[in-house]
Amino acid sequence: GGRIAFTSSTGGSWQILTVAPDGCALQQVTRNPAECFHPSWAPDGRRLVCADANGDLWIAALCEKTARKLPGLPLNCAHPDWSPDGKKIVFVVNTSIGRKEDSDLWVVELEGGTAWKLFEQAGLQKYPSWSPSGSPAPASLRRPGWG
């Protein structure tokens, strides 16, 4: 069961498509002027979040013809992942000053649109992913000082 979401350049522009596990029912989900990447499924299996080449995040419902841009986020968003409860999205915000690249992890509450930086960490942070239950890692896996 279920569907597989992926990024494809088949139409000449990178967009999000889905397909059934048997290879049938191929469906293009995004038709964004800016190329789209990094799809992540909502827990309900009916929506996807993705990032575009302009650094915006979009939510696409499989039953609708258009996607909705998430407003009020910082510039240069990428690598979104939907929380198991469907209420939040974690994502990366990329910055560069001169030749120094940096990135931080952010979270946005979908109801209300409040976004915040998770923590300060030097260097690049990429590809965040929620644990399946949405709970933190067991204490035995946490680094000292990480709560």
Side-chain angles (χ1 to χ4, degrees):
R3 295 188 62 76
I4 299 165
F6 62 100
T7 305
S8 173
S9 68
T10 303
S13 170
W14 290 98
Q15 298 295 323
I16 307 300
L17 283 75
T18 65
V19 66
D22 63 2
C24 295
L26 185 67
Q27 175 186 358
Q28 185 170 342
V29 177
T30 61
R31 288 173 173 72
N32 195 325
E35 296 180 323
C36 295
F37 306 95
H38 314 291
S40 174
W41 286 103
D44 64 15
R46 297 184 314 219
R47 298 169 293 159
L48 290 164
V49 62
C50 62
D52 73 12
N54 293 330
D56 294 316
L57 298 185
W58 294 81
I59 292 180
L62 298 185
C63 61
E64 297 175 10
K65 299 228 184 247
T66 59
R68 170 177 72 89
K69 181 175 142 180
L70 287 173
L73 298 181
L75 299 174
N76 303 315
C77 299
H79 312 292
D81 191 51
W82 218 301
S83 67
D85 65 6
K87 295 179 180 180
K88 297 180 268 311
I89 292 172
V90 64
F91 58 99
V92 171
V93 173
N94 295 301
T95 57
S96 64
I97 299 170
R99 292 185 158 189
K100 184 176 184 256
E101 286 186 71
D102 195 27
S103 63
D104 293 297
L105 299 183
W106 284 65
V107 172
V108 62
E109 285 270 354
L110 294 175
E111 189 174 313
T114 303
W116 65 92
K117 188 187 303 187
L118 280 177
F119 57 89
E120 289 287 333
Q121 176 79 14
L124 298 173
Q125 289 25 262
K126 301 273 184 179
Y127 313 110
S129 179
W130 292 92
S131 64
S133 68
S135 62
S140 61
L141 296 178
R142 290 188 216 143
R143 290 180 60 184
W146 281 23

